[in-house]
Amino acid sequence: MNSYDLPAAGSVPPGSMISFPRPSKGGATQHLVLTMLGDYWQQEASWLPSRLIIALGAHLGITASAASTALSRLAGRGVLEQSSAGRSSRYRLTEAARVRLQIGFRQVSEFGSESRQWDGMWTVVGFSIPESARETRELLRSRLKWLGFSPLYGALWVCPWDRTEAVDEACAAYGVANYVVFRSRTSSLQGREPIEAWALDEMREQYHPFIETYSRSIPGSPDRALSPAEAFRLRTEIMDSWRAFPWNDPGLPRELLPADFPLLTARKLFVSAYNSLADPALEHVREVIRSEAPEAAGSPSALRVSEGA
């Protein structure tokens, strides 16, 4: 999962190109299926009967036809492998996809953490890619955005974290030779302030619906006892929503944010809900396996986020 949607240099097996659906809000079917598989089978290389995935998808509000289409498209993206066992089809995450999910899970788990210390330095990237290589330019821009960069000007991007090695890897992967990357303190930069590359008011607003929606849904709320099936649905939706935030917010250092910026509140809610729902959600997954596909190999596990990550 750095990123959930882009093949990255040096992080996946050679020759493996995968295309994850870009994180987005709204629970699109491919996103939900991928989030579900990442939450419970990220460490597993076992095959899952399609009827099992479809049955679990039904508890997320996904119809059988929509789930089948999502599986087919994820296989076409290189995210899933497909095989046939008798008359039934089965799927599993590709090796490259599992690597990407593991990396990405660490990143979204750390996103918004107070434990991250800023050294006061900015990473600055400038590049020139001709119009004839537009696709390469868009790939690099998307990669930079996921790494936490934002354009201060068209081809001059900034990030408050040290991303020099990752930028070098991305440029090498996409064949970009005409670029420069360096680190500098704010006091050494003249003209426009780097923080102006982000629209902080827009970033702030994206957290309010998340806080309002899930603060009323997590266990511990008055008169809110969740069944295992409800816990499974809610936990998948929470992770699917949370993993979209780093696409629009690089996790700027606290020193650069207003005191009332809502990211910290949203993160505490995410960690509390995701972890507290883990056991009942996993109970539901195991029950559906016993009911729909008792022959399925392997064993699902529920990931957890470290509060201090």
Side-chain angles (χ1 to χ4, degrees):
M1 226 168 136
N2 175 40
S3 83
Y4 265 22
D5 64 312
L6 297 167
S11 301
V12 298
S16 299
M17 289 295 288
I18 55 176
S19 174
F20 280 89
R22 177 173 296 181
S24 68
K25 299 179 180 64
T29 303
Q30 288 185 64
H31 304 144
L32 286 172
V33 170
L34 180 58
T35 297
M36 176 187 72
L37 294 176
D39 276 349
Y40 304 100
W41 282 280
Q42 190 180 116
Q43 312 293 336
E44 280 282 336
S46 55
W47 291 100
L48 303 177
S50 58
R51 67 179 182 279
L52 170 60
I53 301 174
I54 290 172
L56 287 168
H59 292 275
L60 300 175
I62 302 172
T63 65
S65 60
S68 296
T69 299
L71 289 172
S72 177
R73 290 178 176 173
L74 288 170
R77 290 175 173 269
V79 177
L80 298 179
E81 293 180 75
Q82 182 179 13
S83 177
S84 296
R87 299 175 60 184
S88 62
S89 60
R90 55 185 188 169
Y91 294 86
R92 68 180 179 185
L93 292 164
T94 63
E95 181 183 357
R98 285 190 293 110
V99 170
R100 299 307 304 147
L101 285 169
Q102 289 164 13
I103 295 171
F105 181 78
R106 289 197 298 271
Q107 287 202 332
V108 298
S109 297
E110 295 169 356
F111 178 69
S113 171
E114 286 188 291
S115 64
R116 196 175 190 184
Q117 300 297 312
W118 187 43
D119 61 6
M121 300 282 285
W122 291 89
T123 303
V124 183
V125 179
F127 57 88
S128 179
I129 302 175
E131 182 65 22
S132 58
R134 182 185 303 177
E135 182 178 358
T136 297
R137 185 172 59 201
E138 291 308 310
L139 281 171
L140 181 60
R141 285 174 173 173
S142 293
R143 181 66 180 152
L144 289 174
K145 185 172 183 180
W146 181 260
L147 287 171
F149 286 86
S150 187
L152 191 60
Y153 298 102
L156 185 71
W157 293 55
V158 293
C159 174
W161 307 110
D162 188 355
R163 293 287 188 265
T164 51
E165 184 177 348
V167 171
D168 284 336
E169 289 182 353
C171 288
Y174 301 136
V176 177
N178 194 4
Y179 76 97
V180 63
V181 54
F182 61 91
R183 299 269 288 160
S184 178
R185 293 192 177 277
T186 303
S187 58
S188 300
L189 299 174
Q190 302 298 319
R192 193 178 178 198
E193 293 285 338
I195 190 61
E196 294 179 27
W198 288 272
L200 294 183
D201 287 342
E202 293 180 12
M203 287 168 51
R204 176 197 298 272
E205 288 304 314
Q206 69 178 335
Y207 295 107
H208 294 316
F210 181 90
I211 294 170
E212 181 178 353
T213 297
Y214 295 117
S215 61
R216 298 177 301 183
S217 304
I218 61 173
S221 299
D223 303 319
R224 188 60 177 165
L226 299 179
S227 68
E230 289 176 313
F232 167 77
R233 175 191 58 77
L234 185 59
R235 189 171 189 261
T236 305
E237 290 178 357
I238 287 173
M239 173 56 85
D240 195 59
S241 297
W242 181 256
R243 73 184 183 91
F245 288 137
W247 187 255
N248 296 310
D249 182 342
L252 293 169
R254 298 291 177 190
E255 296 89 335
L256 298 173
L257 296 173
D260 61 348
F261 198 75
L263 172 56
L264 180 58
T265 299
R267 175 182 164 76
K268 288 181 177 177
L269 177 60
F270 161 68
V271 173
S272 174
Y274 188 74
N275 289 346
S276 64
L277 294 169
D279 287 339
L282 184 58
E283 177 186 340
H284 174 71
V285 171
R286 289 172 173 165
E287 176 56 37
V288 175
I289 291 175
R290 288 191 291 267
S291 173
E292 300 293 335
E295 79 285 3
S299 177
S301 59
L303 300 175
R304 286 172 172 80
V305 174
S306 172
E307 293 188 18

